[in-house]
Amino acid sequence: HMAPGQCMLGNWMIKSVGNFVKAKGYSVYLTGNQTTSLTGNANTGNTFTTGLTYSGYPTVYTLQGNPIESGWNLVGNPYPSVISLKTQRTGFTSQVHLYVTSGPYQGSWQAQTISPSGVTIAPFQGFMVRADPTQLPSPPYNGTLSYAFYQNERTRATNASFYHTESENALALEVDFNGVKDITRVEFNSSATEGFDGEYDANKYDGDQGRPTLYSHSSSMWYSINVQPKLTQVATVPVGLRPEASGT
């Protein structure tokens, strides 16, 4: 969170020395075959991140039209084991974004939402979450939020479906550009509204340069998962594509 008048993108804190904070997420730039070592006692029990933010900035639209939105935080699984996120976190939407590093979705951010089925997170895996302003007082929330990790969500399981849904109708759309893929999902659920629902919907991150990004949209917001109310009549849901390439 930067002070008013400073760069909206100046929201990464760069550290070259010091200790890792348990349950915070870190992005490390490596070259060649370098590795980063982490030493210390293994975490157990309930643990929490500290100093997370929902910045006081409103949504800002770039020259390309897609918004820079407040409230994003990078957190990380603090345990040396797989966890299955099943409990909604106070002050945060249900969406969890994981960066894909292999396969046809490589280079894209793909969203899941916390549900009783669980969202599988690998040991030490970092992932993006978003603070929900509808659940909190007025911003800014500098350092006042914490993202909980629970001992009872630790699991030996290593397999899970990519998407979990209890919706009555669902449609997944996929784009395939020479084996590079992206996906977006539209669902209909009687408990959802036409606006953004922190419990069901997920924003869409733009992927790496040169790869297509597929999304649905409403009021200039990009959706990775867009859950609409119960399907009782013909519905129209706008869908957009950033191809990042010329051609058919």
Side-chain angles (χ1 to χ4, degrees):
H1 171 63
M2 302 299 290
Q6 297 188 35
C7 178
M8 279 289 298
L9 298 179
N11 54 2
W12 286 88
M13 178 182 294
I14 300 175
K15 293 178 69 70
S16 58
V17 296
N19 295 326
F20 285 96
V21 178
K22 60 182 180 181
K24 273 199 172 185
Y26 293 86
S27 178
V28 181
Y29 184 79
L30 301 174
T31 59
N33 294 319
Q34 289 180 309
T35 60
T36 294
S37 298
L38 179 66
T39 60
N41 296 326
N43 292 317
T44 187
N46 295 336
T47 184
F48 305 85
T49 57
T50 57
L52 301 185
T53 66
Y54 184 97
S55 73
Y57 292 113
T59 294
V60 174
Y61 294 92
T62 67
L63 294 176
Q64 291 78 22
N66 56 308
I68 299 172
E69 296 164 322
S70 300
W72 292 105
N73 290 272
L74 182 65
V75 298
N77 176 4
Y79 302 116
S81 62
V82 173
I83 57 174
S84 181
L85 303 178
K86 298 181 179 181
T87 303
Q88 174 64 34
R89 270 59 176 176
T90 301
F92 291 85
T93 65
S94 290
Q95 58 185 314
V96 172
H97 291 254
L98 292 168
Y99 185 78
V100 182
T101 59
S102 62
Y105 298 103
Q106 179 179 348
S108 68
W109 289 86
Q110 298 298 335
Q112 301 182 57
T113 53
I114 296 175
S115 72
S117 301
V119 176
T120 298
I121 305 294
F124 309 115
Q125 172 71 56
F127 56 97
M128 295 296 292
V129 297
R130 191 181 185 196
D132 187 352
T134 65
Q135 299 185 35
L136 296 165
S138 58
Y141 312 121
N142 250 2
T144 62
L145 294 176
S146 61
Y147 196 87
F149 288 90
Y150 303 112
Q151 175 73 16
N152 60 11
E153 288 185 330
R154 298 179 68 179
T155 177
R156 295 179 183 272
T158 58
N159 61 323
S161 300
F162 191 82
Y163 289 105
H164 301 287
T165 179
E166 297 175 355
S167 299
E168 299 155 354
N169 297 277
L171 174 68
L173 303 177
E174 184 179 78
V175 59
D176 186 335
F177 175 64
N178 295 334
V180 178
K181 297 182 179 181
D182 196 24
I183 193 169
T184 192
R185 191 176 183 92
V186 177
E187 303 176 4
F188 297 90
N189 189 318
S190 57
S191 299
T193 68
E194 292 183 355
F196 187 90
D197 301 303
E199 185 178 356
Y200 301 111
D201 297 321
N203 299 94
K204 182 68 177 186
Y205 267 111
D206 203 0
D208 285 358
Q209 186 176 5
R211 69 164 353 271
T213 300
L214 184 64
Y215 55 91
S216 67
H217 60 92
S218 174
S219 301
S220 300
M221 179 182 292
W222 288 13
Y223 287 80
S224 175
I225 303 174
N226 188 351
V227 183
Q228 294 289 304
K230 184 178 178 66
L231 187 59
T232 58
Q233 58 186 8
V234 176
T236 300
V237 179
V239 175
L241 171 67
R242 174 169 287 181
E244 287 281 350
S246 300
T248 302

